[in-house]
Amino acid sequence: MSVSDAQSQVRHHDAGETNTTAMAATAEAAETAGKGPRAVGADRAARELELRRGEFELAAQLGHIRTLTTAGATTAGATLGRRQVTRQEIDRLRAAEGFPDTLRERVRTVGTAEGAALMPVSPGRFTQLARSGFLVPVRFYLNRYRAVVWLYLADELRSFAAREPALLTGRFPRPLRAGLEAGDDWRPRNWRGRRVGQLLHESADPWERAAIAGCVLDPVQLAELVADPYERAYLERLRPDLGHGRPESEAARTAVQRLLVADHPDEIQWHRSSLDTLLTAARRARPAPRPGSSLPHAGGSASRYDGPGPAPAPGAESGPTAVAHEPPREDGHRGLLTRLRVRRERGPRAKVRS
């Protein structure tokens, strides 16, 4: 297997593209629909779960907290203020062993210095692993110098260190050194892939899913694939916001925008293919709205479950859904070092500071 294949496997594994189970959540959703259990808003749920706002948002994105999206939230990745948590879910989490420390630790994020100390490796080695695609960021922010600072899940770093000790010491493998010398940096595309995967698992509406797949393509790429202006307008309306907050300065907005658009040929082709497939399914489900039409908006008027889970079958109808997230399994993976057999030719890439 080539370096690219190994890196892609890590990316897809960490983006949450794993087998999941929906039976328990489906039963809970049925109970919710039938009995109408009490639910509280995101702010109150975060307080009762003893989480900060950012911790609660990340826990919901990762599937550690099952949330409901209230009626009227018609775009993928609905704002946290539109999410609610049932009383049963809060009670379940509070009753878990080690609450609240265990839940907090599952969403604890660290930067390069703290992450390197956790593994433990030097900060330089940590950056090499991240740029080579083996450590997948879960978030980012801009520091006061408008440099990108990547954040990683502490749990994932510890798991990687235990699973791949050969990559932590000694001379870095030659194929990876060649990529780094050529300027390769997998952090932006790995983060985009992870975030798109989360959003796809949150949505059951076919047009929302198409909008998610297309949100990382630039307007030229999107116009090539979606010739109908009404369809493009609908996708734009449903387009999720991948970033965290809206930078105030123009320079900061420019820096963030560069991270939101696919910029590598392999990545672009992946998302183009995904959009093409999902757009076909969306057209089968219903046409995009046009002036004077009375077609329902995405998601309908019912609340739906927003926890990550298995992607619905192409052409699935929109409406109330319930899915559950099973955390990725860390066992059973062959060592990544043993898969690095084919040296991949890479072109120069723009660097992103960490």
Side-chain angles (χ1 to χ4, degrees):
M1 182 179 290
S2 68
V3 175
S4 176
D5 291 337
Q7 292 164 327
S8 296
Q9 184 168 348
V10 171
R11 179 173 77 250
H12 295 157
H13 168 78
D14 288 323
E17 295 182 4
T18 59
N19 292 328
T20 57
T21 175
M23 293 179 62
T26 302
E28 180 177 316
E31 180 181 358
T32 299
K35 298 182 179 179
R38 288 181 300 149
V40 300
D43 286 335
R44 179 172 174 180
R47 288 195 301 270
E48 294 195 25
L49 294 173
E50 301 182 34
L51 297 175
R52 293 190 293 270
R53 179 85 172 195
E55 292 173 331
F56 179 92
E57 181 180 1
L58 185 55
Q61 290 175 0
L62 296 174
H64 300 319
I65 300 175
R66 301 168 185 170
T67 64
L68 297 169
T69 299
T70 58
T74 61
T75 58
T79 58
L80 198 59
R82 292 173 176 171
R83 291 186 174 184
Q84 292 186 333
V85 183
T86 64
R87 177 58 55 191
Q88 292 94 324
E89 178 68 359
I90 293 175
D91 292 342
R92 180 185 72 84
L93 292 167
R94 290 182 61 89
E97 183 178 356
F99 175 84
D101 295 336
T102 302
L103 181 58
R104 285 175 178 164
E105 186 61 25
R106 293 171 80 181
V107 295
R108 183 163 74 95
T109 58
V110 295
T112 296
E114 191 176 356
L118 278 176
M119 294 183 70
V121 294
S122 70
R125 185 70 164 214
F126 184 96
T127 300
Q128 285 181 317
L129 289 168
R131 287 183 56 196
S132 298
F134 295 110
L135 307 178
V136 181
V138 71
R139 279 188 168 176
F140 72 87
Y141 69 90
L142 300 182
N143 63 17
R144 60 179 176 176
Y145 304 108
R146 293 193 291 275
V148 178
V149 179
W150 295 105
L151 298 176
Y152 308 81
L153 287 172
D155 264 356
E156 290 184 355
L157 299 183
R158 285 190 291 261
S159 296
F160 177 84
R163 192 171 66 245
E164 302 293 341
L167 285 172
L168 306 184
T169 59
R171 191 166 176 80
F172 215 52
R174 181 178 296 177
L176 301 181
R177 292 201 311 272
L180 294 176
E181 290 167 1
D184 268 3
D185 189 348
W186 283 70
R187 290 172 296 182
R189 72 183 100 159
N190 274 354
W191 172 78
R192 287 189 292 266
R194 178 174 207 153
R195 189 71 188 104
V196 166
Q198 290 171 344
L199 290 170
L200 285 174
H201 282 168
E202 290 177 3
S203 177
D205 181 81
W207 280 99
E208 278 185 356
R209 292 171 59 77
I212 293 166
C215 73
V216 295
L217 296 175
D218 65 37
V220 174
Q221 297 275 348
L222 194 62
E224 288 179 1
L225 290 172
V226 189
D228 189 319
Y230 295 107
E231 290 184 341
R232 286 203 307 274
Y234 195 34
L235 294 176
E236 180 62 29
R237 173 176 152 193
L238 299 176
R239 181 188 185 95
D241 183 9
L242 295 186
H244 307 289
R246 299 187 179 278
E248 294 182 0
S249 71
E250 184 62 32
R253 283 193 293 272
T254 300
V256 169
Q257 184 61 31
R258 284 199 299 266
L259 301 179
L260 305 183
V261 179
D263 60 358
H264 189 275
D266 290 345
E267 181 191 11
I268 292 171
Q269 183 56 42
W270 174 274
H271 291 295
R272 282 176 64 99
S273 178
S274 178
L275 173 58
D276 186 59
T277 299
L278 293 172
L279 194 58
T280 299
R283 288 164 175 161
R284 285 201 303 262
R286 66 177 185 271
R290 295 174 182 270
S293 68
S294 57
L295 294 173
H297 299 317
S301 59
S303 298
R304 72 172 184 279
Y305 182 74
D306 266 357
E317 295 180 359
S318 61
T321 63
V323 290
H325 178 267
E326 177 182 305
R329 294 190 297 271
E330 299 293 348
D331 56 345
H333 292 278
R334 294 177 57 195
L336 293 171
L337 190 58
T338 64
R339 304 192 215 111
L340 306 179
R341 302 188 185 281
V342 180
R343 179 173 180 172
R344 180 183 179 187
E345 297 182 358
R346 299 167 174 170
R349 296 281 317 283
K351 297 181 180 180
V352 180
R353 296 176 57 189
S354 66

PDB file of all heavy atoms in Angstrom, residues 131 175-185 343-351:
ATOM      1  N   ARG A 131       1.820  16.858   9.596  1.00  0.00           N
ATOM      2  CA  ARG A 131       1.904  17.281   8.191  1.00  0.00           C
ATOM      3  C   ARG A 131       1.864  16.083   7.240  1.00  0.00           C
ATOM      4  O   ARG A 131       1.404  16.202   6.101  1.00  0.00           O
ATOM      5  CB  ARG A 131       3.181  18.083   7.962  1.00  0.00           C
ATOM      6  CG  ARG A 131       3.161  19.482   8.558  1.00  0.00           C
ATOM      7  CD  ARG A 131       4.439  20.233   8.224  1.00  0.00           C
ATOM      8  NE  ARG A 131       4.650  20.280   6.776  1.00  0.00           N
ATOM      9  CZ  ARG A 131       5.811  20.589   6.208  1.00  0.00           C
ATOM     10  NH1 ARG A 131       6.876  20.854   6.969  1.00  0.00           N
ATOM     11  NH2 ARG A 131       5.920  20.631   4.898  1.00  0.00           N
ATOM     12  N   PRO A 175       9.857   7.953   2.359  1.00  0.00           N
ATOM     13  CA  PRO A 175       8.743   8.515   1.577  1.00  0.00           C
ATOM     14  C   PRO A 175       8.087   9.713   2.253  1.00  0.00           C
ATOM     15  O   PRO A 175       7.662  10.660   1.583  1.00  0.00           O
ATOM     16  CB  PRO A 175       7.761   7.344   1.467  1.00  0.00           C
ATOM     17  CG  PRO A 175       8.598   6.121   1.672  1.00  0.00           C
ATOM     18  CD  PRO A 175       9.644   6.524   2.658  1.00  0.00           C
ATOM     19  N   LEU A 176       8.020   9.687   3.584  1.00  0.00           N
ATOM     20  CA  LEU A 176       7.416  10.808   4.301  1.00  0.00           C
ATOM     21  C   LEU A 176       8.335  12.021   4.272  1.00  0.00           C
ATOM     22  O   LEU A 176       7.872  13.157   4.143  1.00  0.00           O
ATOM     23  CB  LEU A 176       7.108  10.402   5.742  1.00  0.00           C
ATOM     24  CG  LEU A 176       6.153   9.216   5.903  1.00  0.00           C
ATOM     25  CD1 LEU A 176       5.917   8.930   7.377  1.00  0.00           C
ATOM     26  CD2 LEU A 176       4.845   9.492   5.191  1.00  0.00           C
ATOM     27  N   ARG A 177       9.643  11.796   4.405  1.00  0.00           N
ATOM     28  CA  ARG A 177      10.585  12.920   4.328  1.00  0.00           C
ATOM     29  C   ARG A 177      10.505  13.595   2.970  1.00  0.00           C
ATOM     30  O   ARG A 177      10.562  14.824   2.876  1.00  0.00           O
ATOM     31  CB  ARG A 177      12.021  12.431   4.580  1.00  0.00           C
ATOM     32  CG  ARG A 177      12.283  11.949   5.993  1.00  0.00           C
ATOM     33  CD  ARG A 177      13.768  11.974   6.317  1.00  0.00           C
ATOM     34  NE  ARG A 177      14.583  11.331   5.291  1.00  0.00           N
ATOM     35  CZ  ARG A 177      14.887  10.036   5.262  1.00  0.00           C
ATOM     36  NH1 ARG A 177      14.411   9.236   6.221  1.00  0.00           N
ATOM     37  NH2 ARG A 177      15.663   9.541   4.315  1.00  0.00           N
ATOM     38  N   ALA A 178      10.358  12.791   1.915  1.00  0.00           N
ATOM     39  CA  ALA A 178      10.280  13.371   0.567  1.00  0.00           C
ATOM     40  C   ALA A 178       9.058  14.270   0.442  1.00  0.00           C
ATOM     41  O   ALA A 178       9.130  15.351  -0.145  1.00  0.00           O
ATOM     42  CB  ALA A 178      10.227  12.254  -0.478  1.00  0.00           C
ATOM     43  N   GLY A 179       7.938  13.821   0.997  1.00  0.00           N
ATOM     44  CA  GLY A 179       6.733  14.642   0.939  1.00  0.00           C
ATOM     45  C   GLY A 179       6.877  15.937   1.709  1.00  0.00           C
ATOM     46  O   GLY A 179       6.466  17.005   1.244  1.00  0.00           O
ATOM     47  N   LEU A 180       7.476  15.860   2.895  1.00  0.00           N
ATOM     48  CA  LEU A 180       7.672  17.064   3.704  1.00  0.00           C
ATOM     49  C   LEU A 180       8.608  18.042   3.016  1.00  0.00           C
ATOM     50  O   LEU A 180       8.393  19.256   3.031  1.00  0.00           O
ATOM     51  CB  LEU A 180       8.213  16.678   5.080  1.00  0.00           C
ATOM     52  CG  LEU A 180       7.265  15.866   5.966  1.00  0.00           C
ATOM     53  CD1 LEU A 180       7.966  15.459   7.256  1.00  0.00           C
ATOM     54  CD2 LEU A 180       6.000  16.662   6.281  1.00  0.00           C
ATOM     55  N   GLU A 181       9.673  17.506   2.416  1.00  0.00           N
ATOM     56  CA  GLU A 181      10.612  18.374   1.709  1.00  0.00           C
ATOM     57  C   GLU A 181       9.956  19.048   0.509  1.00  0.00           C
ATOM     58  O   GLU A 181      10.335  20.160   0.117  1.00  0.00           O
ATOM     59  CB  GLU A 181      11.827  17.552   1.268  1.00  0.00           C
ATOM     60  CG  GLU A 181      12.702  17.107   2.434  1.00  0.00           C
ATOM     61  CD  GLU A 181      13.718  16.051   2.022  1.00  0.00           C
ATOM     62  OE1 GLU A 181      13.734  15.684   0.813  1.00  0.00           O
ATOM     63  OE2 GLU A 181      14.483  15.596   2.890  1.00  0.00           O
ATOM     64  N   ALA A 182       8.961  18.374  -0.080  1.00  0.00           N
ATOM     65  CA  ALA A 182       8.242  18.955  -1.220  1.00  0.00           C
ATOM     66  C   ALA A 182       7.171  19.953  -0.784  1.00  0.00           C
ATOM     67  O   ALA A 182       6.539  20.588  -1.617  1.00  0.00           O
ATOM     68  CB  ALA A 182       7.607  17.850  -2.056  1.00  0.00           C
ATOM     69  N   GLY A 183       6.959  20.074   0.527  1.00  0.00           N
ATOM     70  CA  GLY A 183       5.989  21.046   1.030  1.00  0.00           C
ATOM     71  C   GLY A 183       4.631  20.475   1.347  1.00  0.00           C
ATOM     72  O   GLY A 183       3.679  21.231   1.576  1.00  0.00           O
ATOM     73  N   ASP A 184       4.485  19.157   1.365  1.00  0.00           N
ATOM     74  CA  ASP A 184       3.179  18.563   1.655  1.00  0.00           C
ATOM     75  C   ASP A 184       2.717  18.902   3.065  1.00  0.00           C
ATOM     76  O   ASP A 184       3.518  18.916   4.014  1.00  0.00           O
ATOM     77  CB  ASP A 184       3.237  17.042   1.512  1.00  0.00           C
ATOM     78  CG  ASP A 184       2.855  16.582   0.120  1.00  0.00           C
ATOM     79  OD1 ASP A 184       2.606  17.445  -0.737  1.00  0.00           O
ATOM     80  OD2 ASP A 184       2.807  15.366  -0.108  1.00  0.00           O
ATOM     81  N   ASP A 185       1.443  19.170   3.199  1.00  0.00           N
ATOM     82  CA  ASP A 185       0.831  19.414   4.508  1.00  0.00           C
ATOM     83  C   ASP A 185      -0.595  18.886   4.446  1.00  0.00           C
ATOM     84  O   ASP A 185      -1.460  19.489   3.809  1.00  0.00           O
ATOM     85  CB  ASP A 185       0.848  20.898   4.849  1.00  0.00           C
ATOM     86  CG  ASP A 185       0.414  21.166   6.291  1.00  0.00           C
ATOM     87  OD1 ASP A 185      -0.119  20.234   6.944  1.00  0.00           O
ATOM     88  OD2 ASP A 185       0.598  22.304   6.763  1.00  0.00           O
ATOM     89  N   ARG A 343       6.946   5.045  -2.830  1.00  0.00           N
ATOM     90  CA  ARG A 343       7.219   6.476  -2.705  1.00  0.00           C
ATOM     91  C   ARG A 343       6.343   7.250  -3.656  1.00  0.00           C
ATOM     92  O   ARG A 343       6.292   6.959  -4.842  1.00  0.00           O
ATOM     93  CB  ARG A 343       8.679   6.754  -3.024  1.00  0.00           C
ATOM     94  CG  ARG A 343       9.033   8.241  -2.926  1.00  0.00           C
ATOM     95  CD  ARG A 343      10.526   8.408  -3.075  1.00  0.00           C
ATOM     96  NE  ARG A 343      10.902   9.818  -2.993  1.00  0.00           N
ATOM     97  CZ  ARG A 343      12.154  10.238  -2.940  1.00  0.00           C
ATOM     98  NH1 ARG A 343      13.139   9.374  -2.936  1.00  0.00           N
ATOM     99  NH2 ARG A 343      12.424  11.524  -2.882  1.00  0.00           N
ATOM    100  N   ARG A 344       5.632   8.232  -3.129  1.00  0.00           N
ATOM    101  CA  ARG A 344       4.708   9.000  -3.946  1.00  0.00           C
ATOM    102  C   ARG A 344       5.344  10.304  -4.385  1.00  0.00           C
ATOM    103  O   ARG A 344       5.971  10.984  -3.592  1.00  0.00           O
ATOM    104  CB  ARG A 344       3.445   9.292  -3.137  1.00  0.00           C
ATOM    105  CG  ARG A 344       2.433  10.097  -3.931  1.00  0.00           C
ATOM    106  CD  ARG A 344       1.249  10.424  -3.068  1.00  0.00           C
ATOM    107  NE  ARG A 344       0.303  11.204  -3.823  1.00  0.00           N
ATOM    108  CZ  ARG A 344      -0.780  11.755  -3.294  1.00  0.00           C
ATOM    109  NH1 ARG A 344      -1.056  11.606  -2.044  1.00  0.00           N
ATOM    110  NH2 ARG A 344      -1.601  12.459  -4.032  1.00  0.00           N
ATOM    111  N   GLU A 345       5.208  10.603  -5.681  1.00  0.00           N
ATOM    112  CA  GLU A 345       5.701  11.878  -6.191  1.00  0.00           C
ATOM    113  C   GLU A 345       4.710  12.964  -5.844  1.00  0.00           C
ATOM    114  O   GLU A 345       3.531  12.829  -6.098  1.00  0.00           O
ATOM    115  CB  GLU A 345       5.875  11.810  -7.710  1.00  0.00           C
ATOM    116  CG  GLU A 345       6.928  10.792  -8.140  1.00  0.00           C
ATOM    117  CD  GLU A 345       7.097  10.793  -9.632  1.00  0.00           C
ATOM    118  OE1 GLU A 345       6.377  11.557 -10.297  1.00  0.00           O
ATOM    119  OE2 GLU A 345       7.939  10.034 -10.117  1.00  0.00           O
ATOM    120  N   ARG A 346       5.214  14.046  -5.279  1.00  0.00           N
ATOM    121  CA  ARG A 346       4.329  15.132  -4.862  1.00  0.00           C
ATOM    122  C   ARG A 346       4.875  16.445  -5.347  1.00  0.00           C
ATOM    123  O   ARG A 346       6.081  16.649  -5.428  1.00  0.00           O
ATOM    124  CB  ARG A 346       4.210  15.173  -3.338  1.00  0.00           C
ATOM    125  CG  ARG A 346       3.629  13.889  -2.761  1.00  0.00           C
ATOM    126  CD  ARG A 346       3.846  13.883  -1.284  1.00  0.00           C
ATOM    127  NE  ARG A 346       3.174  12.738  -0.678  1.00  0.00           N
ATOM    128  CZ  ARG A 346       3.354  12.388   0.579  1.00  0.00           C
ATOM    129  NH1 ARG A 346       4.131  13.055   1.352  1.00  0.00           N
ATOM    130  NH2 ARG A 346       2.700  11.347   1.069  1.00  0.00           N
ATOM    131  N   GLY A 347       3.956  17.358  -5.638  1.00  0.00           N
ATOM    132  CA  GLY A 347       4.361  18.691  -6.059  1.00  0.00           C
ATOM    133  C   GLY A 347       4.453  19.606  -4.883  1.00  0.00           C
ATOM    134  O   GLY A 347       3.996  19.287  -3.780  1.00  0.00           O
ATOM    135  N   PRO A 348       5.060  20.765  -5.021  1.00  0.00           N
ATOM    136  CA  PRO A 348       5.176  21.740  -3.933  1.00  0.00           C
ATOM    137  C   PRO A 348       3.809  22.231  -3.493  1.00  0.00           C
ATOM    138  O   PRO A 348       2.903  22.370  -4.294  1.00  0.00           O
ATOM    139  CB  PRO A 348       6.016  22.868  -4.533  1.00  0.00           C
ATOM    140  CG  PRO A 348       5.918  22.676  -6.019  1.00  0.00           C
ATOM    141  CD  PRO A 348       5.665  21.226  -6.274  1.00  0.00           C
ATOM    142  N   ARG A 349       3.665  22.434  -2.199  1.00  0.00           N
ATOM    143  CA  ARG A 349       2.421  22.912  -1.617  1.00  0.00           C
ATOM    144  C   ARG A 349       2.687  24.157  -0.785  1.00  0.00           C
ATOM    145  O   ARG A 349       3.778  24.348  -0.243  1.00  0.00           O
ATOM    146  CB  ARG A 349       1.817  21.854  -0.664  1.00  0.00           C
ATOM    147  CG  ARG A 349       1.410  20.586  -1.351  1.00  0.00           C
ATOM    148  CD  ARG A 349       0.087  20.755  -2.056  1.00  0.00           C
ATOM    149  NE  ARG A 349      -0.850  21.475  -1.210  1.00  0.00           N
ATOM    150  CZ  ARG A 349      -1.492  20.917  -0.194  1.00  0.00           C
ATOM    151  NH1 ARG A 349      -1.320  19.663   0.107  1.00  0.00           N
ATOM    152  NH2 ARG A 349      -2.351  21.622   0.509  1.00  0.00           N
ATOM    153  N   ALA A 350       1.677  24.996  -0.658  1.00  0.00           N
ATOM    154  CA  ALA A 350       1.802  26.160   0.229  1.00  0.00           C
ATOM    155  C   ALA A 350       1.800  25.683   1.657  1.00  0.00           C
ATOM    156  O   ALA A 350       1.039  24.809   2.027  1.00  0.00           O
ATOM    157  CB  ALA A 350       0.648  27.129  -0.016  1.00  0.00           C
ATOM    158  N   LYS A 351       2.624  26.248   2.508  1.00  0.00           N
ATOM    159  CA  LYS A 351       2.729  25.813   3.888  1.00  0.00           C
ATOM    160  C   LYS A 351       1.754  26.575   4.759  1.00  0.00           C
ATOM    161  O   LYS A 351       1.498  27.738   4.560  1.00  0.00           O
ATOM    162  CB  LYS A 351       4.155  26.024   4.406  1.00  0.00           C
ATOM    163  CG  LYS A 351       5.184  25.179   3.647  1.00  0.00           C
ATOM    164  CD  LYS A 351       6.582  25.387   4.211  1.00  0.00           C
ATOM    165  CE  LYS A 351       7.617  24.554   3.465  1.00  0.00           C
ATOM    166  NZ  LYS A 351       8.967  24.748   3.996  1.00  0.00           N
TER     167      LYS A 351
END
